[in-house]
Amino acid sequence: MAVLTAGCGGLDAQLSTDSGKPSKPDSASVSDARKKLAKLDVKGRAPRTGFDRDKFGPAWSDVDHNGCDTRNDILKRDLEKETFKSGTHDCIVLTGTLKDPYSGKTIDFERGQDTSTAVQIDHLVPLSDAWQKGAQQWPATKRKEFANDPLNLQAVDGPLNGQKSDSDAATWLPPRKSYRCTYVARQIDVKAKYGVWVTSAEKTAMEKVLDDC
């Protein structure tokens, strides 16, 4: 499988720890996040009119052409003790253990119609949020890249992902406070990379989190 990297400034360090799992950003990463946040455009949220998941391409495309879809790439990156479906070249993840960054809980993942939703892949910057903050003006290729970018994806507790829905940092933050710095820093990196703007309330919320890092 191709190596998944953040590919964006200070987040490389926090995504490439010895365990391969995200860690709290260091002071340099926090400083970098502040600088990027200061450069983001601040505008009101545009209407959600016209939003459709399909506008961001088929769900979980194999954009890096490594033979595995993006969902399985992220499960393989974020889970521990994974097992794989035979004959898939270690692509389709059957079981594994997630140390959920949002809650701090340890969650057992088992692939199946009634069990897979226990672990979901979160878009740190939700697709709907991006749509209302610039993405509706993008070409389809950029929206597909955004939806499948590992920098913007994280395996997390399914119910918490549902609770978050399409919220931005002004209305939802992970309940595990020790992860909020990393969460907001990654959101800022994603928005800076793709030119997604922030609302005034969102920027204020992000600044508050970074102040506590």
Side-chain angles (χ1 to χ4, degrees):
M1 188 185 79
V3 176
L4 295 170
T5 60
C8 200
L11 270 293
D12 285 338
Q14 75 188 59
L15 288 177
S16 303
T17 60
D18 291 341
S19 66
K21 311 303 175 185
S23 62
K24 186 173 181 178
D26 57 24
S27 58
S29 296
V30 173
S31 176
D32 185 57
R34 289 181 187 280
K35 292 175 183 176
K36 288 179 178 177
L37 178 58
K39 294 179 181 179
L40 293 179
D41 289 339
V42 180
K43 302 180 185 180
R45 182 187 292 271
R48 197 170 181 269
T49 307
F51 172 75
D52 189 295
R53 173 62 179 84
D54 291 343
K55 296 287 181 66
F56 289 80
W60 310 130
S61 303
D62 178 17
V63 293
D64 59 0
H65 306 295
N66 68 345
C68 302
D69 63 67
T70 302
R71 174 178 167 78
N72 279 291
D73 279 343
I74 300 303
L75 288 173
K76 186 170 183 177
R77 184 193 71 184
D78 292 348
L79 298 185
E80 298 176 345
K81 302 177 182 177
E82 307 99 315
T83 65
F84 302 91
K85 184 176 181 179
S86 61
T88 65
H89 304 287
D90 286 354
C91 177
I92 296 179
V93 179
L94 292 180
T95 64
T97 302
L98 174 70
K99 292 182 179 178
D100 176 44
Y102 289 178
S103 67
K105 297 189 301 183
T106 298
I107 302 171
D108 292 326
F109 170 79
E110 181 179 357
R111 182 183 177 87
Q113 183 175 348
D114 300 322
T115 55
S116 288
T117 54
V119 173
Q120 298 177 15
I121 308 302
D122 180 36
H123 288 93
L124 280 88
V125 176
L127 303 185
S128 176
D129 181 68
W131 179 261
Q132 295 175 84
K133 297 172 183 175
Q136 56 186 287
Q137 306 299 328
W138 299 349
T141 51
K142 183 175 179 179
R143 287 198 292 263
K144 183 177 180 180
E145 178 188 354
F146 178 87
N148 291 276
D149 190 336
L151 177 64
N152 193 33
L153 298 171
Q154 179 72 49
V156 299
D157 174 77
L160 278 180
N161 188 42
Q163 180 191 97
K164 172 188 172 179
S165 186
D166 59 359
S167 300
D168 62 22
T171 52
W172 192 91
L173 290 168
R176 182 181 170 220
K177 293 183 179 180
S178 62
Y179 190 71
R180 290 180 179 179
C181 290
T182 297
Y183 177 80
V184 165
R186 283 183 66 180
Q187 283 191 325
I188 292 169
D189 260 9
V190 171
K191 294 205 165 195
K193 180 177 180 179
Y194 288 91
V196 179
W197 71 71
V198 292
T199 65
S200 178
E202 180 184 10
K203 183 176 182 179
T204 297
M206 287 176 158
E207 289 173 336
K208 187 176 186 301
V209 169
L210 293 177
D211 286 343
D212 292 336
C213 294

